[in-house]
Amino acid sequence: MNTDVADATLAEAIDFARATAEQEAPGLVGDYAGVEVDDERMVTHLFPTLDPAYRGWRWAVTLVRAPMTAEITVDEVVLLPGDDALLAPPWVPWSERLRPGDLGVGDLLPTPADDPRLVPTMFSTEDDDEQDIAFTFGLGRSRMLSFDGRLDAVERWYAGEPGPEAPIARAAPAACASCGFFVQLSGALRQAFGVCANAYAPDDGRVVAVDHGCGAHSEAVVVPSSPAPPPPLLDEHGIDVVGGPLGHDPGSVTDSDTAEPFGHS
Ligand code: SF4
């Protein structure tokens, strides 16, 4: 069987193929664009569509012929994209389209049973004391973070906003490791990460790297205590001072209807 050479009878049936395509889309079949050999006694004639909504698409009319007969049969008429066809972007499953922050209130995000970020916990006990100890070490759950899951988190956090290269960290007077508001994580990540517990810091309540930092560092500035307020002043301009610790006795001020401390009325 030689499929490189088109069957002569089918290859010459261009007008028949065009008429077939016109039945599907009257007035929207363009100039002849060639023939493709599909198999022995099977070819496909191509015609660009004139439909402006399908730029670059072609009508493909597949013709076949039975052996020992010249009768041509239409196998299929279909609109197919050409090399320069305008196509929709490839479909991507929702699980791959999902981005951090997409999860809303009430949404559920199922985690696959074989999620590489998690491994089964090989420890189970009914004893309360043992459960307490297990919880302290991060056990007591059906699955826990795998080595890959930890590595992902470390790389993501360290390279992102909680890391040492964030602009706020580069301008910080000192690192989180020496800050009084730094609460170290437990477990394998404790050497590199903690949580910021400073209500005035932009990272309050978030994971930060030990070499992250910000201007709210506990030792950044020593604030001096406020000086004592000065003694009150008495406006003596409109009164006669007779005596007393402030220059007059209570009730002895004459022409005193205007006597008021500064700032009062
Ligand atoms: S206040 Fe600033 S320096 Fe201190 S732990 Fe928080 S982010 Fe780090």
Side-chain angles (χ1 to χ4, degrees):
M1 180 179 69
N2 184 354
T3 56
D4 294 337
V5 179
D7 180 276
T9 304
L10 298 174
E12 290 169 4
I14 299 173
D15 291 341
F16 178 72
R18 168 184 289 283
T20 305
E22 284 279 355
Q23 285 180 4
E24 293 293 326
L28 294 177
V29 180
D31 295 338
Y32 186 58
V35 63
E36 293 178 354
V37 180
D38 299 315
D39 208 337
E40 191 179 11
R41 293 184 299 280
M42 176 184 277
V43 302
T44 297
H45 292 282
L46 300 169
F47 305 89
T49 177
L50 302 180
D51 190 333
Y54 285 85
R55 197 187 74 202
W57 288 63
R58 304 178 300 183
W59 284 105
V61 182
T62 301
L63 305 178
V64 295
R65 181 176 70 81
M68 310 299 290
T69 175
E71 186 179 356
I72 298 172
T73 305
V74 177
D75 180 59
E76 188 177 39
V77 184
V78 66
L79 197 56
L80 293 177
D83 292 340
D84 58 344
L86 186 64
L87 297 173
W91 182 77
V92 180
W94 69 267
S95 56
E96 295 174 25
R97 291 198 304 268
L98 204 65
R99 290 288 170 266
D102 285 352
L103 199 69
V105 176
D107 291 345
L108 291 178
L109 178 58
T111 306
D114 58 351
D115 192 320
R117 299 170 302 169
L118 298 167
V119 288
T121 305
M122 299 299 180
F123 181 83
S124 177
T125 178
E126 299 297 319
D127 185 280
D128 287 347
D129 292 338
E130 289 180 359
Q131 280 184 355
D132 285 348
I133 296 172
F135 188 79
T136 305
F137 286 100
L139 302 172
R141 296 160 284 170
S142 56
R143 288 189 290 173
M144 58 186 295
L145 210 54
S146 66
F147 177 78
D148 287 344
R150 277 203 304 274
L151 201 60
D152 276 358
V154 167
E155 290 177 352
R156 193 171 60 249
W157 293 345
Y158 205 75
E161 285 301 308
E165 296 302 324
I168 195 169
R170 295 171 73 96
C176 295
S178 59
C179 177
F181 297 108
F182 181 73
V183 182
Q184 212 163 23
L185 292 188
S186 66
L189 300 179
R190 72 187 303 274
Q191 291 181 323
F193 297 101
V195 174
C196 174
N198 185 346
Y200 298 103
D203 289 305
D204 178 41
R206 299 198 182 110
V207 168
V208 288
V210 289
D211 43 0
H212 183 67
C214 79
H217 190 285
S218 61
E219 315 308 320
V221 181
V222 179
V223 180
S225 57
S226 302
L233 296 177
L234 189 67
D235 181 5
E236 301 172 347
H237 182 70
I239 62 173
D240 295 327
V241 179
V242 176
L246 290 177
H248 72 280
D249 292 325
S252 65
V253 175
T254 59
D255 194 16
S256 60
D257 49 333
T258 59
E260 291 288 344
F262 270 123
H264 293 263
S265 60

